[in-house]
Amino acid sequence: MFQPRIDRLKSILGNGPANIGHRGARGLAPENTLVSFLVGAESTSFFELDTMLCASGELVVIHDFTVDRTTDGEGKVSEYKYRDLAELDAGSFFDEAFEGEQIPTLSQIIQTLPETTVFDIEMKSEGNPEERKALALALVKLIRKYKLTNRIWVSSFDWDLVDLIRQEEPEVLRGLLIEKGDSLNKNYMDYEPDLILPHLSACSKDFVEGLKEKSLLVIPYTTNTEEEWKELLNAGVAGLITDFPDQLASYLESKK
């Protein structure tokens, strides 16, 4: 029997606010590459990452729907087979020192990082019903394969995609992402979320307290300054998604 989801989420997050590296450690290494997570792992065991399906069916870790911004290639991720994605340079856009870094699969990240690592897996969908369903099924398969239920939550701006995960694997923890300036839709509780992941600008104390009254935790994105950290922690958030987990780790240590 699984313990109630909110209790599991609180257990996963631990006592203090969670220090969650954004796309690995985006401020320190090329985002969503294996090295980015390994660098970030020196400071935290919590990570946010983005995943979508490529043409050969693998779940790959990349933020954009095209490879143009973060690699030396061009075109849509969904039109590449993984063997071709793996040949692209996904490191040089950040710094020449990272030349040759690859776009990893989600399986590679899961298998390489310690089993104590917790992941916020953001699902990226362009909204095509068949693609959305295939993504959900592939992710549920991976969650079952690696027994990840007690060390991940899934999230998306596409709430229907989150709901597909709920239907396929109800015990998986679920987060709803909201854009900058958006208010929550009145039907958000229909999706049975466990946490809300808003842009940091939405996180007033009243906003956070109102969600806590509904047994929902709040983890904002993307927070990179001490001023932001102080304000958000005072508001009562459960964690902070940051490009600089090393700096956030030092800040949290200084406040003990």
Side-chain angles (χ1 to χ4, degrees), residues 23-210:
R23 306 180 198 172
R26 188 188 182 208
L28 306 174
E31 65 182 63
N32 281 327
T33 59
L34 183 55
V35 69
S36 189
F37 293 92
L38 293 175
V39 169
E42 297 175 9
S43 306
T44 187
S45 59
F46 294 89
F47 292 104
E48 183 269 355
L49 57 78
D50 309 277
T51 195
M52 65 186 74
L53 288 171
C54 66
S56 49
E58 290 89 352
L59 285 163
V60 294
V61 180
I62 188 171
H63 177 271
D64 298 1
F65 291 114
T66 72
V67 300
D68 300 38
R69 179 177 64 87
T70 58
T71 79
D72 59 349
E74 296 180 348
K76 297 182 69 171
V77 175
S78 61
E79 296 175 354
Y80 273 85
K81 293 183 178 180
Y82 183 66
R83 66 170 181 263
D84 298 318
L85 281 177
E87 293 181 356
L88 301 178
D89 176 0
S92 292
F93 81 95
F94 183 86
D95 189 283
E96 290 182 1
F98 295 101
E99 181 180 358
E101 287 297 322
Q102 298 176 324
I103 297 171
T105 65
L106 183 54
S107 291
Q108 288 171 346
I109 298 294
I110 297 295
Q111 291 181 81
T112 302
L113 275 288
E115 292 186 1
T116 52
T117 309
V118 175
F119 295 99
D120 168 5
I121 300 175
E122 180 182 342
M123 302 172 289
K124 308 289 289 191
S125 167
E126 295 187 270
N128 176 287
E130 292 183 4
E131 174 256 352
R132 181 189 277 147
K133 183 71 171 180
L135 173 56
L137 291 175
L139 183 53
V140 167
K141 182 178 180 180
L142 183 143
I143 290 168
R144 291 170 177 166
K145 178 179 179 179
Y146 296 111
K147 299 179 173 61
L148 298 176
T149 307
N150 284 326
R151 63 185 185 101
I152 65 155
W153 61 84
V154 299
S155 63
S156 186
F157 289 103
D158 181 348
W159 294 3
D160 289 331
L161 182 51
V162 175
D163 200 53
L164 281 175
I165 299 291
R166 180 186 67 81
Q167 295 172 32
E168 295 293 331
E169 196 69 30
E171 295 301 331
V172 173
L173 297 166
R174 302 181 289 274
L176 303 181
L177 281 155
I178 61 173
E179 295 274 9
K180 180 179 181 179
D182 283 358
S183 59
L184 283 172
N185 296 332
K186 61 183 179 181
N187 67 333
Y188 68 95
M189 291 300 288
D190 293 345
Y191 293 86
E192 300 181 22
D194 302 292
L195 68 163
I196 302 299
L197 301 147
H199 185 270
L200 62 92
S201 63
C203 288
S204 66
K205 194 171 185 66
D206 287 345
F207 177 88
V208 175
E209 289 298 328

Side-chain angles (χ1 to χ4, degrees), residues 238-251:
L240 298 162
I241 297 174
T242 182
D243 293 332
F244 300 97
D246 58 334
Q247 295 178 26
L248 179 53
S250 296
Y251 176 81

